[in-house]
Amino acid sequence: MKKIADWPIQKKLFVGMLLFSVLIVFIVTATAIKNTYDTMKEQLIYNRRMSVGWLRDRLELELSGFQNHFYEFEVDMKRKELIKSWCVEKNELDYVEQWNLITAMNEIVSMDKNLNSMEIINLESGKTLTAERSGASMREAGEVLEIWRERAGGLQNNLVFYRTGKEILIFHQMHRFEDKMPYALIVMHLRPYDLQDILSDIKMTADESIFIFNDENQWIEADCGEGEELRIEDAGTAAVSFTELQKQEFMWEGNFWFYREVSGGKLKVLLSVPNHVIVESLTGTVLMAALVGGVMLVVCAVASSLLARIFAGPVIKLSDTMRNFTLQDSEESVREEKYNGTSRNEIAVLQDSFAVMVKRNKTLIAQEYQMKLEKQEAQIHALQAQINPHFMYNVMQVIGGMALQRQAPEIYRVTGALGDLMRYCLNFSREMVPLKEEIHYLQSYCMLQNERFNDRIKLHVKIEEELLGCLVPKLLLQPVLENSFHHGLVNKAGDWLLEVKGTLEEEQEGNTLILKVMDNGNGIPSWRLKEIQDNLNEDANAALKAGGHIGLCNVDARIRLRYPEGNYGLSIDSTEGKGTTVTLRMKAVEKEK
C-alpha cells in the first residue's frame, strides 16, 4: 500500500477536497440545524408570551368594566345611603327603595349579555336583594354568603372571583367610612361562555392548556389541551410555585409554563405548552436541513472528482515552469516561450491574474487610509440610526391607555413630550449634541416612562454646570436607561432609583468626560455580566451585526468609533440584589471647539 506522499497529485486533490468539503458541509449543516432549532424555539416561545400578554390585557379591560359597575353603588350617594340604611341602621326597604336598587342592578345586567343576575347581600341579616333577567326578589343569601365567609382574612375584597357550578361569582364588599367595617356585599353572577371563547381563541395548538385562577389560587376557568393529562390541581400547584418564586416562565414536569398576574393578582393566568409541541413543530425543519446536507455531500463528492481531474494536469505543467523560472527571466519572455500553445488558456491566466493583483494591491494600499475613514463614518451613521422601536410602541400604549381609562388632560403633556423626543431622535443633521441637551431629552424620556410605570422612576442628575456644554454623541444615555428598565428594574418592587453623575478627569493627553448611570435594580448574574463584558470587547463591526440586540454594545461602539485613539468606551459593573453601574468614558470636547 502506497504512502500518502506517494499518491498521484490527482488522487491527493480528490481526497483532500472531498474531506474538506465534507467537513465544511457537516459544520454548516450542524450549525444551521442548531441555529434554526434555537431560533424557531425562541420564536414559538415569544409567540406564547405575546398571547398570554394579550390575554392579561384583555382581562384587565374586563375587570375594569366590573369595577366600574361596583363603583356605581359607591359613588351614587342616594343608592349608597339606601344600602347603608338597610344594612347598618337595620331599616327595612320599602317598595320604592327596593325598586330603586333593583332598577340600578337591572341596568347593569341588561347591558351585559354574560351576566345572569346581580344581588346585594345584607351582611348583618343575611337578606339578599336579587335582580335577575326574569324578575327580582328578596330572599336569604344561602350558599353565596357562605362562600364569602370562608374567604381567608386579610385578603383584598374589592374585586374577588369564585367559581361555583356553571357560574363565576364576582364579589365587592362595601365598608363604612368611619371605622371600615363591612356592611354589604354586591355579587355579580357571570356566565363563563365568553371567557371560554377567549381562552379557545388564544390557543395556538390543540395540545396547549390555559388556566385562570383567583387570588387564592382557586380555579375560575380552564381550557385543557387534547390528550393532555394535566389536571387543574397540577395547574394550581404551578400557580402557587409561580407566586412564591416570583417567576413568569419556567419548565416544570415536561411543560413550559407562562404565568401572568391580572390587576395586581386579582386573577392569575397560566399557559401550559407541552415540550413535545415545540419539538414536533421543529421536526420538519430539522429533517429538511439534514436532507439538504446529505445532498450537498453527494454534490461535493462529484465536484471534488471533477475538479481534481481538471486541475491535476495544469498544476503539473505550472510546477515545471516555476521550477525552471529565475528572477533574471523576463515574465513576458517566459510567457511567450512556455505558453505559446493551448496551455496558455489553462495556466497563463493565473500569471496574468497575479500581475494584475500586484498592480491593484498598490492602488488599494494608496486608498486604504481613505477607506478606513469612510468605513468609520459609515459605522457611526449606522449605529446612530439604530433606535429601539419598542420604546415608541410602549409610549403609544401609554397614550392609548390614558385616553381609554382616564380621559385626563395629562395626555397633552405626554404627547407634547413625545413630539419633542421624536424631533430629537429623528434629527440626523447633528451627530454630536451638548450634554445639557442630552440630559433634557433624557428627562423627557423618563417622564414618558413614568406614565407607563406609575411614577416609580426617580431620576437624579448630578453634573456640574461647566460639564453641560461638552459635546456627546446623540442618544447616548437613553439606551443605557432602557437597558436598566428591561433587565434590572422590571421585576423590582418599590421605587426605581436612577442616578446620572458626570465628572471630569484630567489627563496628560487631554481631559476625559466620565458619565456614570447607576440603578438600584436586581443586578445582573455573574455569568450574564461576563457575557456582556465579552460582547463589549468586540469591535464596532460586531455591534453593527448585532441586529436587534443593540443597546450597551451600540453605545460602546459609537464612543470607540468617535474616539478611537484613547481608552474610551463603556464598562459595566453589577452586583446581584444591589444594582448596576454603567460607566461611559469619552474625550471632553467643549462646544466652542
Side-chain angles (χ1 to χ4, degrees), residues 176-211:
R176 290 192 302 191
F177 178 78
E178 301 83 19
D179 53 8
K180 305 299 181 182
M181 290 296 296
Y183 60 86
L185 190 66
I186 304 177
V187 185
M188 289 190 290
H189 294 250
L190 182 69
R191 300 173 183 171
Y193 306 126
D194 188 50
L195 187 56
Q196 291 171 357
D197 291 340
I198 294 174
L199 298 186
S200 178
D201 291 341
I202 202 174
K203 291 173 56 177
M204 294 185 180
T205 63
D207 291 335
E208 297 177 21
S209 301
I210 188 164
F211 306 89

Side-chain angles (χ1 to χ4, degrees), residues 167-184:
E167 288 186 327
I168 298 175
L169 303 182
I170 310 175
F171 294 84
H172 172 79
Q173 187 169 264
M174 301 181 70
H175 301 81
R176 290 192 302 191
F177 178 78
E178 301 83 19
D179 53 8
K180 305 299 181 182
M181 290 296 296
Y183 60 86

Side-chain angles (χ1 to χ4, degrees), residues 372 376-377 379-380 383 432 473 476 532-544 551-571 583-587:
K372 283 186 176 180
Q376 186 179 89
E377 194 67 24
Q379 289 174 334
I380 292 175
L383 289 167
M432 304 291 289
L476 188 71
I532 296 174
Q533 291 171 340
D534 291 340
N535 289 336
L536 292 175
N537 291 330
E538 299 290 341
D539 59 9
N541 286 319
L544 280 171
L552 298 182
C553 292
N554 180 290
V555 173
D556 178 62
R558 289 167 61 193
I559 295 175
R560 286 194 284 160
L561 288 170
R562 177 63 61 181
Y563 308 113
E565 70 280 357
N567 184 24
Y568 301 121
L570 180 147
S571 61
T583 304
L584 310 177
R585 293 176 57 88
M586 69 199 77
K587 182 181 293 186

Side-chain angles (χ1 to χ4, degrees), residues 215-423:
D215 55 354
E216 293 183 275
N217 297 317
Q218 296 179 2
W219 170 68
I220 300 298
E221 188 54 64
D223 189 336
C224 296
E226 297 180 1
E228 184 65 40
E229 298 180 356
L230 186 68
R231 298 175 300 173
I232 293 177
E233 293 80 2
D234 297 328
T237 302
V240 174
S241 300
F242 274 115
T243 304
E244 293 176 350
L245 298 176
Q246 296 184 343
K247 289 186 177 181
Q248 290 190 325
E249 299 170 5
F250 65 71
M251 286 291 298
W252 182 61
E253 295 190 353
N255 295 280
F256 202 97
W257 293 84
F258 299 85
Y259 170 80
R260 297 293 185 274
E261 291 187 351
V262 181
S263 189
K266 290 182 174 63
L267 288 179
K268 301 174 182 180
V269 178
L270 273 82
L271 173 63
S272 172
V273 182
N275 189 54
H276 70 80
V277 172
I278 298 177
V279 174
E280 290 173 0
S281 64
L282 301 175
T283 301
T285 302
V286 173
L287 291 177
M288 180 58 67
L291 178 61
V292 172
V295 172
M296 289 302 300
L297 289 176
V298 175
V299 172
C300 288
V302 175
S304 297
S305 177
L306 293 176
L307 290 175
R309 184 177 301 176
I310 292 172
F311 285 107
V315 167
I316 294 173
K317 294 179 181 179
L318 179 60
S319 176
D320 293 336
T321 300
M322 297 301 297
R323 187 182 301 114
N324 298 322
F325 184 78
T326 62
L327 294 177
Q328 289 75 22
D329 294 332
S330 169
E331 180 184 354
E332 293 299 328
S333 63
V334 171
R335 187 174 298 168
E336 292 176 0
E337 178 182 353
K338 299 296 183 181
Y339 306 107
N340 56 359
T342 57
S343 297
R344 181 174 179 82
N345 296 327
E346 300 172 353
I347 298 300
V349 175
L350 297 177
Q351 297 289 353
D352 293 339
S353 299
F354 180 75
V356 173
M357 182 185 67
V358 172
K359 183 178 180 181
R360 288 180 179 176
N361 281 344
K362 295 178 181 178
T363 303
L364 291 174
I365 291 172
Q367 296 174 348
E368 182 178 1
Y369 179 73
Q370 182 64 28
M371 290 175 62
K372 283 186 176 180
L373 293 179
E374 292 175 357
K375 178 182 177 182
Q376 186 179 89
E377 194 67 24
Q379 289 174 334
I380 292 175
H381 282 290
L383 289 167
Q384 182 73 48
Q386 293 180 349
I387 301 175
N388 192 344
H390 295 293
F391 166 65
M392 303 306 297
Y393 173 78
N394 290 336
V395 173
M396 296 311 296
Q397 278 190 322
V398 172
I399 298 174
M402 291 173 60
L404 178 65
Q405 298 179 8
R406 297 203 300 268
Q407 297 183 353
E410 288 85 351
I411 295 178
Y412 177 80
R413 177 168 60 89
V414 173
T415 54
L418 177 58
D420 290 341
L421 200 56
M422 288 180 65
R423 283 193 296 272

